[in-house]
Amino acid sequence: MRRYEDYPLLAHNTFGMDVRASLFVEYDTADELRVFLRSADFDRYRRRFIHIGAGSNLLFTGDYDGLVMHSAIRDLSVLEDAAEHQLLRVGSGYVWDDFVAYCVAHGLAGAENLSAIPGEVGASAVQNIGAYGVEVCDVIERVETMGLDGTQRVFSAAECRYGYRDSIFKKELRGQYIVTHVVYRLAKTPTFKLDYGDLRARVEAEGVPTLDAVRRAVTAIRDSKLPDPKVLGNAGSFFTNPVIPTAQYEALKALHPDIPSYVIDEQHVKVPAGWLIEHVGWKGRSLGAAAVHDRQALVLVNRGGATGSEVMALAQRICEDINAKYGIRIVPEVNYI
Ligand code: EPU
């Protein structure tokens, strides 16, 4: 276990905020985590701590006067090797995209559409990451966690109550359990999901679909739209896509026949926040050093030296403009710390 006081967080958040934490602790095993949770050190910070992954979905609005914890549990093992599937148990600190690469290299299907998503395995199970018609809950079998008293608790996928970018770990049990391992169920026979955007066209241009072709196509699409955090600080989609009543959607569609949409149920439709941001004129514009990405309006970027407050102010302005013009409230997906 590593323990640092007054620790710089620049390398731990993809938005590139140069802030510090009073204490930073990184552990390598679940046993180390248990010992730490039962220590006087943790007791002092029990009410002022956050647990981070790769910091790819966070916005620090200033120094963090508390404890920041990070998992470096990085083991991967095959728990079950059946005729049609494998169960893989993976440490929460394993880099998500390395895990997808492992699956694709071993002919294991289910995670390939989630290629190139920044972040780590632990956060994948908290956040229910998703892209190109797949959510990680589709391949989660169970989630191993530790309560703050150091006792283990395993959640089945159903107990995690997964929804769109949501789980019990973000709601009722927020801050109460720390993910140590995730058990994924991957299929040996792929069921390709290619119906999102131009994914099918790209994959089929190469011939019969393969896991590797899907991985390469998804990675290429993401690279073409999403800024590289190493070059331009950002946290991926800044907002979730809003779900609105069908009647409101119909009124919007009458004015803008081109608005993309996704039917949720008979009464609800999801519309892209990126489209709304673009149509209130914010795409590519900035407020101080915070800006709206010019190729994907859903992504806010740090053009260099932006503070968390500047990014928050930009987000606030965008929300207000969308609410004023369309009567739709969009909410950040990124967590403000
Ligand atoms: N659009 C615009 N203008 C923009 C951006 C998007 O009009 O500036 C329109 C696009 O033309 C398209 C629609 O909005 O018709 C949807 O755009 P896109 O396919 O790029 O997806 P998204 O809704 O913007 C979501 C996820 C992404 C995920 C993609 C692909 C959320 C909050 N975001 O974005 O996830 O990669 O779909 O599945 O659901 C993330 O969570 O960080 C993330 C990047």
Side-chain angles (χ1 to χ4, degrees):
M1 196 188 90
R2 288 157 297 285
R3 178 191 187 284
Y4 307 99
E5 287 174 20
D6 190 27
Y7 184 76
L9 294 170
L10 187 57
H12 291 275
N13 75 100
T14 58
F15 241 119
M17 296 299 155
D18 193 4
V19 296
R20 302 179 88 85
S22 316
L23 183 65
F24 183 87
V25 164
E26 185 175 66
Y27 52 89
D28 297 306
T29 63
D31 286 339
E32 276 186 13
L33 172 61
R34 179 179 300 106
V35 170
F36 177 68
L37 290 173
R38 292 177 176 170
S39 70
D41 225 4
F42 179 70
D43 211 41
R44 258 199 305 283
Y45 286 100
R46 185 172 283 279
R47 275 175 195 80
R48 282 181 296 136
F49 84 92
I50 52 166
H51 198 293
I52 64 170
S56 52
N57 203 38
L58 299 177
L59 178 65
F60 285 104
T61 57
D63 287 338
Y64 184 64
D65 178 24
L67 160 70
V68 174
M69 296 168 79
H70 182 242
S71 165
I73 305 178
R74 299 202 176 103
D75 56 325
L76 183 156
S77 57
V78 179
L79 283 191
E80 188 177 304
D81 188 13
E84 279 304 320
H85 72 266
Q86 261 192 17
L87 292 186
L88 294 177
R89 178 175 183 263
V90 191
S92 48
Y94 204 98
V95 172
W96 169 258
D97 193 51
D98 291 351
F99 169 64
V100 179
Y102 174 96
C103 294
V104 169
H106 288 79
L108 297 170
E112 59 282 359
N113 288 40
L114 305 178
S115 289
I117 296 182
E120 295 167 0
V121 157
S124 78
V126 172
Q127 165 76 357
N128 191 19
I129 56 173
Y132 307 101
V134 174
E135 290 182 322
V136 75
C137 64
D138 300 339
V139 292
I140 288 182
E141 178 78 7
R142 55 182 180 267
V143 179
E144 297 178 14
T145 73
M146 199 173 281
L148 301 187
D149 59 358
T151 53
Q152 204 202 33
R153 178 165 169 192
V154 180
F155 291 79
S156 67
E159 286 171 328
C160 295
R161 299 220 209 116
Y162 285 119
Y164 169 54
R165 298 291 193 278
D166 202 16
S167 74
I168 196 163
F169 307 113
K170 290 180 74 174
K171 288 250 174 73
E172 294 92 322
L173 299 183
R174 189 181 193 102
Q176 294 183 45
Y177 290 90
I178 295 169
V179 177
T180 53
H181 287 87
V182 180
V183 177
Y184 299 99
R185 173 188 289 260
L186 285 312
K188 292 194 176 172
T189 312
T191 310
F192 292 106
K193 293 195 179 142
L194 304 176
D195 290 327
Y196 190 100
D198 59 351
L199 187 56
R200 180 177 299 279
R202 279 190 185 239
V203 172
E204 291 184 348
E206 287 193 32
V208 182
T210 62
L211 295 178
D212 190 54
V214 175
R215 174 166 171 73
R216 279 184 285 110
V218 167
T219 304
I221 296 172
R222 292 185 71 95
D223 285 351
S224 71
K225 287 190 193 171
L226 301 171
D228 178 354
K230 288 190 203 84
V231 180
L232 203 56
N234 75 88
S237 300
F238 195 91
F239 302 96
T240 46
N241 289 327
V243 173
I244 61 174
T246 302
Q248 188 178 15
Y249 166 73
E250 293 298 346
L252 202 56
K253 195 171 166 63
L255 293 174
H256 302 278
D258 64 327
I259 184 170
S261 63
Y262 174 77
V263 175
I264 299 288
D265 57 37
E266 266 173 31
Q267 279 109 46
H268 299 94
V269 176
K270 186 151 82 176
V271 293
W275 186 95
L276 295 168
I277 297 168
E278 183 170 342
H279 282 74
V280 292
W282 271 108
K283 191 170 187 170
R285 275 173 60 197
S286 47
L287 196 65
V292 180
H293 189 49
D294 51 7
R295 273 177 284 146
Q296 162 57 293
L298 194 51
V299 178
L300 303 191
V301 298
N302 174 0
R303 292 200 310 176
T307 61
S309 311
E310 275 179 304
V311 178
M312 265 168 65
L314 172 61
Q316 183 65 29
R317 282 282 300 277
I318 292 170
C319 292
E320 284 166 10
D321 287 358
I322 289 176
N323 194 27
K325 183 163 178 187
Y326 295 114
I328 296 174
R329 290 184 189 280
I330 61 166
V331 286
E333 186 208 343
V334 164
N335 295 308
Y336 293 170
I337 311 285

